[in-house]
Amino acid sequence: MLPEGGIPLTLYDLVAPGLQLRCDPRYRISEIREADPLGADALLAALPAMNADADVAALTVALRTLVPDPDRVAALGVTDALAAMRDLGILLGSLKRHGTEPVAAVPEVLPVLEELSRRTDMVPRDTVHHYTTWNPLGARRRMYTGDIMESNLQDAVRMVFPSLVAALDTCAELARREPYEPGFALALDRTAQHVQSMVDSIDFTVANVSPVFFAQEMRSYFEEIDIAGVDYLGPAAAQVPLWLVDLTLWQCDRSGPAYDAFLDDSVRYSLPSWRDHYAAHKGGTSAVSKLSAAISWEAADRLPPQLAASAVSLARVLRILKTFRARHMTIARKAYSEDVRLYEVGSGGAPIELLRSVLDLTRDNETLVRRSIERSRTPVA
């Protein structure tokens, strides 16, 4: 039996309930999903039909109808403000998909978006979190097309959110530890469990979402829109911050210019605490660098047991990351092949070449760790 939403039971179902215990209102997923502060349920149920007809006039009226007055916005708490941005956002993306800049068409939405941004401490439009994690399930689900593949795409992204939240803690713990400490390998093993959800997600996507459907139906809904002279990307899966894990494993000091530039732009679409994590650790020493330095001090053929355990655990989590990125690369190549694609760059604003670059960086770091293990004759699990 499948849980509500249709995705198979995964680590998501074990981790998700614990999010409610955290203080951040952005983790009150069920509350945000249930919220309908703008009374948008009935109107957004008709959204797929409006998009199918490319009915810009109806979409414009719908957006104008949902725009609340300033007093109403000022009274919203964080959870309601997130739900309001979710519901306005899917109309923003729909209008842009049909060639209309939404703020130009409905100027009165601008101060509302700016106030919602201030109240939620996020960018002034919807993000991947609004479109997936905070989106209602069942009949109230907000969708651009209403196609089952779109709901599968949403579920594939939704299932990784709790694991990424948990990885935030384990990666912060890893940054505080050294390879000789038992906690170093333990933090890596827990991180590996969380990252495995990304592989489960990509496998679910391969099985349930056609690259052609994404390229020719969904991609156009994730175009950037202009808000007060600044372009903001749509709620693309590329905003899912796997960089949270990369950062402390290898990226903070073993990256490349293209990936660094991509992250500098992508971080703004994240939750406030995730942005704080990035700021705190981007100038740190990575797990790969710590391990390499520790091993270089060991002259013997065999590493001390704890250092060997740390090396094996680090190689394991890097291998999982490499597996995810290789499968993601395969999907992207199909979706952006010349005979399929409608756009030159991905929905996250980056070309396919960046995916190849990050895969190569991940593989290079994994190779470095594995070679150090092989030189020390440490068995690899």
Side-chain angles (χ1 to χ4, degrees), residues 273-284:
S273 60
W274 299 10
R275 300 197 304 267
D276 292 343
H277 178 90
Y278 178 75
H281 297 288
K282 68 177 181 178

Side-chain angles (χ1 to χ4, degrees), residues 4-270:
E4 184 181 12
I7 63 174
L9 286 169
T10 65
L11 186 63
Y12 174 94
D13 304 277
L14 303 178
V15 178
L19 294 180
Q20 295 292 115
L21 302 178
R22 295 174 179 251
C23 295
D24 192 332
R26 295 159 193 83
Y27 295 156
R28 297 175 190 162
I29 295 173
S30 60
E31 291 181 29
I32 301 169
R33 287 176 179 167
E34 291 168 6
D36 183 21
L38 307 182
D41 280 358
L43 191 153
L44 293 181
L47 181 60
M50 297 181 207
N51 279 323
D53 294 338
D55 193 341
V56 172
L59 290 167
T60 302
V61 170
L63 179 57
R64 186 171 290 120
T65 299
L66 288 192
V67 174
D69 62 57
D71 290 342
R72 173 62 177 141
V73 178
L76 295 177
V78 174
T79 55
D80 279 337
L82 292 169
M85 183 67 86
R86 173 197 68 206
D87 294 344
L88 293 172
I90 201 162
L91 287 167
L92 301 178
S94 296
L95 278 166
K96 184 59 187 281
R97 183 262 179 270
H98 300 296
T100 298
E101 280 289 349
V103 177
V106 186
E108 59 267 35
V109 78
L110 176 59
V112 171
L113 297 176
E114 292 175 332
E115 179 61 21
L116 290 174
S117 174
R118 285 190 289 270
R119 300 193 72 76
T120 62
D121 194 13
M122 296 185 71
V123 293
R125 76 158 299 179
D126 56 325
T127 68
V128 69
H129 307 297
H130 298 82
Y131 178 59
T132 60
T133 304
W134 298 327
N135 199 333
L137 303 178
R140 294 183 59 237
R141 186 189 294 242
R142 280 70 163 124
M143 298 174 68
Y144 294 108
T145 69
D147 193 287
I148 185 63
M149 287 195 193
E150 181 181 0
S151 66
N152 289 336
L153 182 66
Q154 291 173 320
D155 287 340
V157 177
R158 181 174 67 86
M159 66 194 287
V160 306
F161 184 86
S163 296
L164 283 172
V165 174
L168 200 73
D169 294 335
T170 57
C171 286
E173 174 72 11
L174 181 65
R176 293 191 292 268
R177 299 286 186 175
E178 295 297 331
Y180 288 101
E181 298 179 68
F184 192 87
L186 181 59
L188 284 166
D189 291 341
R190 288 175 175 168
T191 301
Q193 289 181 311
H194 302 318
V195 174
Q196 181 60 43
S197 72
M198 296 293 295
V199 179
D200 296 339
S201 172
I202 206 76
D203 288 346
F204 182 83
T205 303
V206 169
N208 295 282
V209 182
S210 159
V212 174
F213 172 78
F214 177 81
Q216 299 188 356
E217 296 294 332
M218 293 307 306
R219 171 64 181 83
S220 54
Y221 288 102
F222 304 138
E223 276 290 87
E224 61 189 22
I225 64 173
D226 180 287
I227 298 177
V230 179
D231 288 335
Y232 291 93
L233 296 171
Q239 293 172 7
V240 175
L242 190 54
W243 53 259
L244 286 172
V245 179
D246 288 339
L247 183 65
T248 47
L249 288 181
W250 60 269
Q251 188 273 329
C252 63
D253 61 1
R254 309 183 70 87
S255 187
Y259 192 32
D260 290 346
F262 174 76
L263 291 190
D264 285 343
D265 185 65
S266 296
V267 167
R268 61 178 171 161
Y269 297 98
S270 292

